[in-house]
Amino acid sequence: MHVLVLGAGQLARMMSLAGAPLNLTLTAYDVTTNRVVHPLTQATTPQTLEQAIADSDVITAEFEHIPDDILATCEKSGKFFPTSQAIKAGGDRRIEKALLDDAGVKNATYAIIHTRADFEQAIDTVGIPMVLKTALGGYDGKGQWRLKDRAQADAIWKEMQACLDDAKQQAIVAEQFVPFQREVSLVGARNANGDIETYPLAENIHVDGVLSLSTAIDAPDLQLQAETMFAAVAKRLDYVGVLALEFFDVNGELLVNEIAPRVHNSGHWTQQGAEVCQFENHLRAVCHLPLGSTKLVRETAMINILGEDSLPPELMAMEGCHIHWYGKSQRPGRKMGHINLTADYPGQLQRKLCEIANYLDKQAFPAVHRLAKDIQD
Ligand code: ATP
Ligand code: MG
């Protein structure tokens, strides 16, 4: 079968690698350059988008910021999974919030802001501290402000107003600041029959709004809450494919932060840690093949490689250390690859995280160093 992926980044690349053993071949459409490319080599093919659509058996997406007209064209072909509605819910925080409310899942209190008067009203209804996020175009913590004190309102409004003036359709979603103990996420797959397979929860550590470290955890009570919310959201969207839900854990109660209608960075650990990884399961779901087991087979932590294009060779010699590069040119802070670190049991994984910290730069991998210090203390 041939699959066309909207988006040509690392997620399409890893989908392509996962699909090969099943004879699933992938082509990617780079939405920013309007080119149809090979997802591994990035070599341009002579195809137009229309030809690529015609040549594909199935179309899917690796990210949510896709122009409406492209989504509509793909959906019209009858080959697109999940739906354009699901992609839009991931790409527009207004639609996302309405979806979460409709599905009856808990999320942070919010208000939508277009004008200064809306902002003042949000300060009253949502309260301070408050997190403000652009409705469209946000990722990796970009397009966000924190209002901690009323005195900051004028300065923040100036910046928000510039964003609102910049793009038609833009709005700001004001959210109550959630005093969470930790962040977790659930990645799972749903097929066209409505069957669902979810992976164990991952605990996520962000640095400056970007995911840094993600570890599969065994937390039965949270898992149950997360799976219930996952099922509610996936059913509401009549979802087919892999879907991710990000949560705040507040004293053992989960609140949904956001959804991602695609394979997710916090699910990369499944490449080594699960029976069938998220990339293969996404392809299985959208290609109408049986879903694969999501069972944990190894304790695994995933470390994002941000802005670095090389690692000390000692890492490759470490048992359980699996390096995945994305073939990108270096830029500060850019997601260049990730490391999956595996172990036989949780205590061994902690020891390996301490060991790997010795080889990783302190500035580039602050979360690993902090965790290693906490474990050793
Ligand atoms: P990504 O797409 O990379 O997951 P994003 O840019 O879409 O990120 P969010 O996930 O909404 O943004 O926010 C980034 C981080 O900011 C969250 O992981 C969390 O640490 C923090 N954050 C977001 N919203 C809130 C909130 N309401 N209260 C407290 N912290 C928050
Ligand atoms: Mg997020």
Side-chain angles (χ1 to χ4, degrees):
M1 270 175 118
H2 189 72
V3 181
L4 171 65
V5 186
L6 301 180
Q10 68 266 20
L11 302 179
R13 175 187 174 96
M14 289 186 275
M15 262 188 239
S16 175
L17 290 168
L22 297 179
N23 270 350
L24 302 172
T25 55
L26 270 70
T27 307
Y29 178 69
D30 186 334
V31 176
T32 47
T33 60
N34 294 319
R35 291 181 312 143
V36 177
V37 302
H38 188 281
L40 291 179
T41 63
Q42 296 291 316
T44 307
T45 74
Q47 283 181 310
T48 61
L49 175 62
E50 287 65 30
Q51 286 165 339
I53 291 173
D55 288 353
S56 65
D57 300 298
V58 166
I59 308 169
T60 188
E62 63 135 32
F63 84 143
E64 49 274 23
H65 302 300
I66 300 167
D68 284 357
D69 54 333
I70 293 176
L71 268 183
T73 307
C74 290
E75 195 150 61
K76 220 166 70 200
S77 73
K79 304 174 187 175
F80 186 73
F81 297 97
T83 58
S84 63
Q85 186 209 356
I87 302 294
K88 286 177 186 171
D92 186 331
R93 296 192 194 276
R94 288 163 290 195
I95 302 175
E96 182 178 47
K97 282 293 204 179
L99 164 74
L100 297 176
D101 289 343
D102 276 356
V105 302
K106 292 193 202 95
N107 62 96
T109 307
Y110 69 102
I112 292 171
I113 298 175
H114 294 103
T115 64
R116 178 71 199 242
D118 295 340
F119 185 27
E120 291 303 324
Q121 201 176 351
I123 291 174
D124 291 339
T125 55
V126 175
I128 295 175
M130 177 193 285
V131 181
L132 297 131
K133 306 178 183 180
T134 54
L136 301 170
Y139 69 98
D140 288 346
K142 293 184 177 59
Q144 295 198 10
W145 299 265
R146 303 279 189 275
L147 179 71
K148 295 181 182 148
D149 190 306
R150 214 171 213 292
Q152 300 171 301
D154 281 345
I156 289 181
W157 172 249
K158 258 202 196 113
E159 289 184 26
M160 293 199 304
Q161 197 174 25
C163 267
L164 291 168
D165 290 346
D166 232 27
K168 264 201 315 188
Q169 312 290 327
Q170 185 60 284
I172 308 286
V173 176
E175 247 179 41
Q176 162 207 25
F177 179 86
V178 179
F180 58 82
Q181 273 87 47
R182 59 176 172 175
E183 292 184 84
V184 298
S185 57
L186 188 74
V187 173
R190 184 176 185 272
N191 67 14
N193 298 331
D195 304 324
I196 289 176
E197 295 285 350
T198 53
Y199 291 98
L201 280 170
E203 178 170 349
N204 303 321
I205 298 174
H206 294 82
V207 177
D208 299 329
V210 185
L211 184 65
S212 184
L213 184 67
S214 195
T215 309
I217 58 166
D218 179 23
D221 180 52
L222 296 185
Q223 184 81 28
L224 189 63
Q225 289 182 51
E227 284 178 3
T228 306
M229 292 194 245
F230 182 98
V233 172
K235 190 162 182 222
R236 191 90 201 165
L237 290 169
D238 201 13
Y239 200 87
V240 175
V242 161
L243 169 73
L245 263 59
E246 295 178 12
F247 302 94
F248 299 125
D249 173 1
V250 189
N251 301 322
E253 194 185 353
L254 294 186
L255 238 67
V256 176
N257 169 28
E258 60 172 357
I259 69 158
R262 53 173 166 80
V263 288
H264 194 254
N265 198 168
S266 71
H268 292 0
W269 69 267
T270 62
Q271 289 170 311
Q272 265 73 42
E275 185 71 39
V276 172
C277 76
Q278 63 163 350
F279 302 101
E280 183 177 329
N281 256 332
H282 181 71
L283 291 173
R284 287 183 184 224
V286 299
C287 294
H288 306 299
L289 298 168
L291 296 180
S293 164
T294 50
K295 203 176 119 195
L296 182 126
V297 292
R298 277 180 218 99
E299 298 296 331
T300 310
M302 190 269 336
I303 301 162
N304 262 348
I305 305 170
L306 304 169
E308 302 285 296
D309 66 353
S310 68
L311 290 170
E314 288 88 342
L315 283 192
M316 280 182 84
M318 230 179 116
E319 190 182 307
C321 177
H322 301 261
I323 302 171
H324 299 256
W325 290 110
Y326 304 154
K328 293 186 192 171
S329 55
Q330 188 182 24
R331 268 207 310 261
R334 193 175 196 195
K335 285 184 182 169
M336 300 292 290
H338 67 270
I339 302 166
N340 283 336
L341 188 63
T342 67
D344 296 332
Y345 53 92
Q348 190 184 52
L349 184 60
Q350 294 219 319
R351 268 209 302 284
K352 285 191 176 184
L353 281 163
C354 294
E355 188 187 338
I356 206 171
N358 295 325
Y359 299 117
L360 297 175
D361 182 74
K362 219 171 185 165
Q363 247 91 55
F365 298 91
V368 181
H369 280 271
R370 228 174 286 152
L371 187 74
K373 191 171 175 302
D374 286 351
I375 294 169
Q376 279 156 355
D377 280 351

